[in-house]
C-alpha cells in the first residue's frame, strides 16, 4: 500500500475505534448489562458491525447465540443516607452485588475490628444489633496478630452472608477503592461499602436506605458469532474473541461504562474483522463477542457447551479483554503453555518495535479463553498494561481511555495471525 494511504487508513481506524468505544460506553447502552436491555442493545450493535463486513452468521443464519443466566439486578431506586448525609452512588458507596432490596430508616451500631476479635464480643454485638445495621469501621487493621486477623475475617464473612445471624444489614467503612461486580445470586442481607474520607463513622446513628433489587433467575442474553472464510480452503479456524458485556446499572441513573473492560477489546476485535473483510485471511477466522463474562465467563461456557464450530478444528484462539492502554506493554496469559506461539509474538514485536513490552504469564482462568483452553483449545488471553487505574468502577470511561498502543497492538496481532 502507498505510504500516504497507509497513514490514512490508520487514522481512519482510530476514528472508527474512538467512535465505537464512545457508542458502547454511552448511556444508551446501559453499561451493557442485564438492566434496561443493555446487553441486547450492545449485541444488536455488534451484529450490525458484523453484517456491514459481511461476516457469515454461525447460528443457522443468525449471528446470535442465546443462553440464560441468573443475575441479581438493581433496576429501580438506589439511595443511601447516613444520618442526614446523602451519599453519591458508586462514588461514595456501592451496594454489594448480592444485596436484596431494603427500604426504611434503621439504627446503626458502629464497631471497629477490635470489637469483633473474640466470639464473645461478636455474639454480644449480634444481640445488640438485632433490628439495626452494623457499621464496621474496617479502615485500620492496626496491630492485629495473625490469629486475631483470622477470627476477625471469619466474623466479617459471617456478617456479610451468614443466614443464621439476625440483623438488618452491614455497612463497611473502607479506604479501599470501590470496585463493583455482578453476581448470579442474592444473599439474605444488604451490604454497603462506604469510602467517604470526610465522614466520621463514630457519628453515624441512622441509615436511610431505598434500594430496589431483583433476582432474575432466567435472564436471556446472547453471544454474537460470525466468520470470514479463508482462502486456503482448509477447515482449520482461527478464533478471535472479546466479551462485550459489562456490569450494567446500579439504580436508574448510574451505569458502568466499561471502556477498557471491555469496550476496548470488543472494538479491537471489530477492527480485526474489518481488516480481514478487506484482506482475506488464509484460514477461516471466527469472531465471537461474548455476553456474561463479568458474571462468571458464562457466555464462553455456554458457547463451549453448545459450540457453533468444531472446537477440535481451532488452530488458535486469542481473547482480547482490556485493550485500551499499553504504556507498559501487553501481557500474554497462557504464554508459558503455548511457548512457541509466545516466542513468535515476542519476536515479531522486537522486529517491528510495536508495543513497549510483551510479557509472559502462566495460565489464569480470568477471561473467556479459559473454557476453550479447558477443552484443549490452544489459546491466549492478552491484555494491555499501564495507563489508567479505573477498573469495574464509574471512572472506566471513554474520555479517559488512553488507547496509547491501540494501533501498534493491532499491527502486532495482524502479523501474529499471519504466522499461522
Ligand atoms: Zn473484562
Amino acid at each position: 500500500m502507498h505510504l500516504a494511504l497507509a497513514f490514512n487508513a490508520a487514522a481512519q481506524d482510530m476514528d472508527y475505534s474512538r467512535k465505537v468505544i464512545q457508542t458502547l460506553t454511552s448511556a444508551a447502552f446501559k453499561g451493557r448489562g442485564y438492566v434496561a436491555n443493555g446487553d441486547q442493545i450492545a449485541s444488536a450493535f455488534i451484529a450490525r458491525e458484523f453484517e456491514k463486513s459481511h461476516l457469515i452468521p454461525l447460528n443457522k443464519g443468525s449471528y446470535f447465540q442465546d443462553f440464560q443466566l441468573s443475575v441479581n439486578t438493581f433496576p429501580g431506586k438506589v439511595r443511601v443516607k447516613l444520618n442526614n448525609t446523602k451519599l453519591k452512588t458508586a462514588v461514595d458507596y456501592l451496594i454489594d452485588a448480592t444485596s436484596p432490596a431494603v427500604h426504611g430508616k434503621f439504627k446503626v451500631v458502629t464497631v471497629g475490628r477490635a470489637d469483633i476479635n473474640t466470639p464473645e464480643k461478636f455474639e454480644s454485638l449480634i444481640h445488640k444489633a438485632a433490628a439495626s445495621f452494623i457499621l464496621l469501621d474496617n479502615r485500620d487493621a492496626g496491630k492485629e496478630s495473625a490469629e486475631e486477623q483470622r477470627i476477625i475475617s471469619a466474623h466479617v464473612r459471617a456478617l456479610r452472608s451468614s443466614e443464621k445471624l439476625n440483623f438488618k444489614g452491614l455497612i463497611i467503612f473502607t479506604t479501599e477503592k470501590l470496585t463493583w461486580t455482578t453476581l448470579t445470586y442474592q444473599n439474605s442481607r444488604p451490604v454497603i461499602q462506604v469510602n467517604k474520607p470526610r465522614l466520621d463513622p463514630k457519628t453515624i446513628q441512622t441509615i436511610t436506605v431505598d434500594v430496589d433489587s431483583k433476582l432474575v433467575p432466567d435472564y436471556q442474553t446472547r453471544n454474537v458469532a460470525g466468520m470470514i472464510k479463508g482462502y486456503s480452503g482448509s477447515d482449520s479456524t482461527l478464533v478471535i474473541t472479546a466479551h462485550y458485556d459489562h456490569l450494567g446499572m446500579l439504580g436508574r441513573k448510574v451505569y458502568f461504562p466499561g471502556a477498557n473492560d471491555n469496550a476496548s477489546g470488543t472494538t479491537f476485535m471489530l477492527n480485526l474483522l474489518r481488516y480481514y473483510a478487506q484482506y482475506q485471511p488464509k484460514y477461516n477466522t471466527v469472531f465471537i463477542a461474548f455476553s456474561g463474562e463479568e458474571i462468571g465467563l458464562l457466555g464462553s461456557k455456554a458457547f463451549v457447551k453448545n459450540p457453533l464450530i468444531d472446537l477440535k478444528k481451532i488452530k488458535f484462539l486469542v481473547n482480547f479483554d482490556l485493550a485500551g492502554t499499553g504504556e507498559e506493554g501487553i501481557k500474554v496469559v497462557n504464554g508459558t503453555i503455548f511457548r512457541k506461539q509466545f516466542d513468535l509474538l515476542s519476536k515479531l514485536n522486537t522486529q517491528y518495535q510495536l508495543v513497549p513490552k510483551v510479557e509472559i504469564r502462566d495460565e489464569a482462568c480470568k477471561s473467556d479463553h479459559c473454557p476453550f483452553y479447558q477443552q484443549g483449545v490452544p489459546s491466549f488471553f492478552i491484555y494491555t498494561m499501564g495507563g489508567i487505574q479505573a477498573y469495574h468502577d464509574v471512572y472506566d470511561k471513554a474520555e479517559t481511555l488512553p488507547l496509547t498502543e491501540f494501533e501498534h497492538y493491532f499491527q502486532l496481532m495482524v502479523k501474529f495471525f499471519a504466522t499461522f
Side-chain angles (χ1 to χ4, degrees):
M1 199 193 289
H2 188 272
L3 192 61
L5 281 178
F7 272 116
N8 240 335
Q12 195 56 50
D13 286 347
M14 280 314 283
D15 283 351
Y16 170 78
S17 299
R18 285 189 201 284
K19 211 187 279 168
V20 169
I21 291 171
Q22 198 67 252
T23 303
L24 289 168
T25 56
S26 64
F29 281 59
K30 316 285 178 192
R32 305 186 304 282
Y34 316 107
V35 168
N37 289 323
D39 66 321
Q40 305 293 313
I41 295 163
S43 52
F45 172 83
I46 293 161
R48 275 196 301 278
E49 292 302 300
F50 278 28
E51 199 170 14
K52 281 188 209 160
S53 288
H54 308 291
L55 266 66
I56 300 164
L58 283 185
N59 196 11
K60 302 180 200 99
S62 168
Y63 291 122
F64 299 119
Q65 178 184 45
D66 292 333
F67 67 97
Q68 288 194 346
L69 51 77
S70 167
V71 58
N72 191 31
T73 62
F74 298 85
K77 285 184 208 151
V78 173
R79 287 185 206 147
V80 174
K81 239 197 236 175
L82 293 178
N83 291 344
N84 285 319
T85 308
K86 195 169 175 272
L87 301 189
K88 226 175 157 219
T89 307
V91 174
D92 298 330
Y93 79 97
L94 281 175
I95 307 282
D96 267 23
T98 54
S99 295
V102 56
H103 302 276
K105 185 171 178 179
F106 304 94
K107 270 203 194 125
V108 171
V109 176
T110 299
V111 291
R113 291 173 61 87
D115 298 317
I116 54 168
N117 63 1
T118 69
E120 295 72 29
K121 286 190 200 169
F122 185 68
E123 218 166 282
S124 93
L125 167 67
I126 298 300
H127 192 72
K128 192 174 154 197
S132 310
F133 266 68
I134 292 174
L135 187 158
L136 171 67
D137 185 355
N138 206 30
R139 293 174 304 174
D140 187 11
K143 291 192 191 82
E144 291 162 3
S145 69
E147 175 60 6
E148 224 178 335
Q149 268 181 19
R150 194 191 58 76
I151 295 168
I152 294 167
S153 296
H155 286 155
V156 174
R157 265 199 307 282
L159 290 175
R160 278 178 166 285
S161 59
S162 169
E163 306 254 336
K164 288 181 218 140
L165 305 179
N166 190 22
F167 63 101
K168 271 296 166 191
L170 178 66
I171 305 161
I172 299 179
F173 253 69
T174 179
T175 50
E176 278 169 34
K177 180 184 115 50
L178 297 175
T179 300
W180 211 46
T181 183
T182 173
L183 290 164
T184 57
Y185 59 95
Q186 220 175 58
N187 283 334
S188 53
R189 276 185 306 275
V191 177
I192 302 168
Q193 308 261 355
V194 178
N195 181 344
K196 194 167 168 62
R198 272 188 283 171
L199 206 56
D200 180 1
K202 286 194 202 75
T203 65
I204 311 260
Q205 270 152 14
T206 61
I207 180 169
T208 312
V209 262
D210 206 358
V211 173
D212 293 322
S213 105
K214 190 177 172 213
L215 183 72
V216 186
D218 52 2
Y219 187 90
Q220 182 164 306
T221 184
R222 56 193 184 179
N223 298 325
V224 189
M227 182 177 80
I228 295 175
K229 267 214 165 307
Y231 62 75
S232 67
S234 159
D235 63 356
S236 293
T237 53
L238 290 172
V239 181
I240 296 169
T241 67
H243 76 86
Y244 73 81
D245 67 289
H246 195 55
L247 305 175
M249 303 197 70
L250 181 53
R252 291 192 182 122
K253 285 186 206 132
V254 173
Y255 74 98
F256 292 79
N260 198 20
D261 188 8
N262 190 27
S264 68
T266 303
T267 304
F268 198 83
M269 183 185 76
L270 291 175
N271 268 294
L272 285 166
L273 71 87
R274 274 158 54 102
Y275 178 86
Y276 290 117
Q278 216 180 336
Y279 306 99
Q280 192 183 19
K282 183 171 171 191
Y283 291 104
N284 292 343
T285 304
V286 166
F287 300 86
I288 315 169
F290 292 115
S291 183
E293 194 269 352
E294 302 288 9
I295 196 162
L297 315 181
L298 297 184
S300 47
K301 283 177 184 165
F303 188 95
V304 164
K305 203 168 161 207
N306 290 299
L308 301 176
I309 52 169
D310 186 349
L311 299 183
K312 292 198 183 64
K313 297 278 164 64
I314 301 177
K315 281 181 92 70
F316 210 79
L317 176 150
V318 181
N319 176 54
F320 297 97
D321 189 356
L322 308 176
T325 69
E327 284 80 347
E328 291 166 31
I330 58 172
K331 185 89 99 182
V332 183
V333 170
N334 274 356
T336 58
I337 314 285
F338 304 102
R339 190 61 203 240
K340 198 185 96 189
Q341 287 83 355
F342 175 83
D343 288 342
L344 249 169
L345 181 67
S346 178
K347 207 178 111 195
L348 284 169
N349 190 56
T350 308
Q351 188 181 344
Y352 293 98
Q353 306 243 318
L354 293 167
V355 301
K357 254 190 309 193
V358 177
E359 280 188 5
I360 196 163
R361 190 170 165 183
D362 204 351
E363 57 180 37
C365 196
K366 302 232 181 247
S367 191
D368 288 318
H369 65 295
C370 184
F372 290 86
Y373 173 58
Q374 287 170 340
Q375 294 295 313
V377 174
S379 47
F380 284 159
F381 152 35
I382 312 182
Y383 56 94
T384 54
M385 299 185 297
I388 50 155
Q389 299 304 311
Y391 177 73
H392 283 211
D393 53 38
V394 288
Y395 308 107
D396 184 11
K397 331 184 252 197
E399 302 85 82
T400 43
L401 189 68
L403 295 176
T404 323
E405 294 294 327
F406 209 72
E407 287 177 277
H408 287 148
Y409 185 19
F410 177 80
Q411 288 163 23
L412 176 61
M413 293 317 300
V414 167
K415 288 187 193 306
F416 176 71
F417 289 122
T419 65
F420 289 93

